[in-house]
Amino acid sequence: MSQRIIIVDDDADLCALLELACQRAGLTGLSLTSGLAALDYFNAAEFQPDGPAPFDFVLTDRQLPDLSGEDLVHFLRDQPGGARIPAAIMSANLTEDSRARFFARGFMEIFPKPFDAKAVIQRVAEILELLATNPYEEENARWTPQTIAAIDADLQAEYRAGLAERARRIAECMVVLGEDWPVDSPDFL
């Protein structure tokens, strides 16, 4: 059975293009042109906590006329078994902050508009293939603020350690050159 992709965008032409790209990639695309239509579809879908999901991937626009793509995926993730369904967001208005927020909320990919529909669906297929070999475990399904903070703290600690090491090397060079500059000086780091 072909993998099922839910496409949610109020641009019917883009939905048709993405459905065609899905078909050519051997996937099944189902388009919904509003957030409320997607909610109705999600409500009617038979979610089973331990069974197969009624679809395999959600590709949603960020700005729908009636509901944001973020809210739509949040609703999906609250369904039994819904946290395991991967999602990606499409948007014409992206900032570094919004990108970070989307990844923090568990979106697996962000596609800036305009884009090549074939490339988008190829990336979705790659994600699905990756997840088939490394299942998306329920306990890892959400990037919580705590896990993000822990990762961020680790990265900052590594960065500071790298700076401190560079500072020590520079101080050694300064000594060789005959200048004295304390490594612990706040001006040094």
Side-chain angles (χ1 to χ4, degrees):
M1 181 172 171
S2 140
Q3 292 178 305
R4 299 147 301 174
I5 314 302
I6 302 299
I7 302 162
V8 187
D9 198 300
D10 55 322
D11 182 342
D13 292 335
L14 178 60
C15 285
L17 187 61
L18 288 166
E19 274 190 32
L20 180 61
C22 281
Q23 183 182 22
R24 289 184 176 166
L27 305 169
T28 301
L30 170 67
S31 294
L32 301 164
T33 56
S34 77
L36 293 178
L39 283 179
D40 289 343
Y41 182 83
F42 294 163
N43 280 325
E46 295 183 22
F47 286 93
Q48 301 169 7
D50 297 321
F55 43 88
D56 301 293
F57 198 94
V58 175
L59 179 60
T60 182
D61 187 23
R62 175 186 182 185
Q63 292 177 285
L64 300 164
D66 50 4
L67 184 68
S68 76
E70 292 174 89
D71 290 340
L72 182 66
V73 170
H74 178 75
F75 174 83
L76 170 64
R77 297 266 164 82
D78 284 341
Q79 302 305 307
R84 295 177 300 177
I85 298 172
I89 199 155
M90 306 174 284
S91 179
N93 303 312
L94 289 171
T95 64
E96 287 304 313
D97 288 341
S98 65
R99 286 176 181 274
R101 187 177 71 246
F102 294 142
F103 284 126
R105 292 189 177 169
F107 286 93
M108 300 198 77
E109 190 64 77
I110 301 164
F111 298 107
K113 290 181 177 180
F115 53 69
D116 175 1
K118 181 180 175 183
V120 167
I121 297 304
Q122 282 177 334
R123 179 65 184 134
V124 168
E126 288 170 3
I127 291 169
L128 289 169
E129 186 177 326
L130 176 67
L131 293 175
T133 58
N134 299 305
Y136 194 48
E137 299 295 333
E138 189 74 30
E139 62 270 11
N140 297 326
R142 295 178 190 233
W143 287 95
T144 65
Q146 293 81 13
T147 58
I148 292 166
I151 291 168
D152 188 44
D154 289 346
L155 290 173
Q156 287 183 18
E158 286 179 33
Y159 178 72
R160 284 191 203 108
L163 284 178
E165 179 59 29
R166 275 187 249 140
R168 279 191 263 298
R169 288 183 186 161
I170 292 170
E172 289 172 6
C173 290
M174 300 297 271
V175 169
V176 169
L177 294 173
E179 296 186 28
D180 189 21
W181 197 357
V183 176
D184 296 333
S185 166
D187 294 333
F188 194 77
L189 297 174

